[in-house]
Amino acid sequence: MGIEIACCLALDLVRQGLFAVTVDRNRGRWFELVWNKATERLCMRTPSKAQRSSF
């Protein structure tokens, strides 16, 4: 049972290290990328006011 705990601890430390190097370094950047992509797709789907008034 001790080896399993050691493996879990090691994997968790690796996970924390990767997270600190990638996501924490650019705080908010990932949210901005996802938000921009989602709004870009939404804007492409919904017609603008000018397009709606031409019907």
Side-chain angles (χ1 to χ4, degrees), residues 13-26:
L13 290 173
V14 169
R15 180 194 60 80
Q16 286 178 10
L18 286 173
F19 193 88
V21 170
T22 57
V23 178
D24 280 348
R25 178 178 278 177
N26 300 308

Side-chain angles (χ1 to χ4, degrees), residues 17-55:
L18 286 173
F19 193 88
V21 170
T22 57
V23 178
D24 280 348
R25 178 178 278 177
N26 300 308
R27 192 158 269 222
R29 183 172 180 262
W30 289 104
F31 175 79
E32 291 295 327
L33 288 172
V34 171
W35 181 262
N36 290 339
K37 188 57 89 171
T39 54
E40 179 183 301
R41 286 187 180 187
L42 267 175
C43 290
M44 293 177 83
R45 280 191 193 167
T46 57
S48 66
K49 285 183 180 180
Q51 290 173 333
R52 282 183 275 180
S53 64
S54 66
F55 288 116

